[in-house]
Amino acid sequence: MLLEGKNIVIMGGSGAIGTSMAKVFVAEGGRVWLGARNQQRLDTAAEQVRNAGGDVETFTVNCLDQTGTAKAVSALAARIGGIDAAINATSFLHDQGSHIDDLDLARH
């Protein structure tokens, strides 16, 4: 399993792309956390991942709120022992290849 024991966070995790990625990541042994604004949509996405045989958790976050997102991600990282991969599956333009904590809304 390629991702055994790796902690993966998917922002925009309630959408089709985030949900599809989560299914693949858990199939490869990853531990996945889905973040998005709407808990009901997160619950639906998480159920799809669980039905595919994966274990997934959710958290609410508004990625357009830079300070709130930084706090949420920092708190999650502290709780789970670090984040190995952070994926941006939100529907706004963003900088590919940068570290998540180096990004801000002015340089998306």
Side-chain angles (χ1 to χ4, degrees):
M1 297 215 169
L2 295 173
L3 301 174
E4 190 70 36
K6 301 294 184 186
N7 294 329
I8 302 162
V9 175
I10 303 174
M11 300 297 198
S14 64
I17 293 171
T19 302
S20 295
M21 289 189 318
K23 290 176 184 178
V24 173
F25 294 154
V26 297
E28 288 296 331
R31 298 171 57 203
V32 175
W33 284 261
L34 301 176
R37 293 178 290 185
N38 184 299
Q39 187 62 54
Q40 184 176 3
R41 290 190 62 198
L42 280 167
D43 291 342
T44 300
E47 187 64 25
Q48 291 176 26
V49 175
R50 289 182 190 112
N51 287 341
D55 186 25
V56 63
E57 293 185 38
T58 66
F59 66 102
T60 56
V61 64
N62 179 353
C63 289
L64 296 177
D65 173 3
Q66 181 177 345
T67 302
T69 299
K71 287 179 182 179
V73 171
S74 292
L76 178 63
R79 182 172 66 85
I80 66 176
I83 296 171
D84 297 298
I87 312 290
N88 183 350
T90 57
S91 60
F92 58 90
L93 295 176
H94 54 278
D95 182 0
Q96 294 285 339
S98 294
H99 289 232
I100 193 167
D101 51 347
D102 290 338
L103 295 176
D104 61 34
L105 290 177
R107 292 179 303 168
H108 59 275

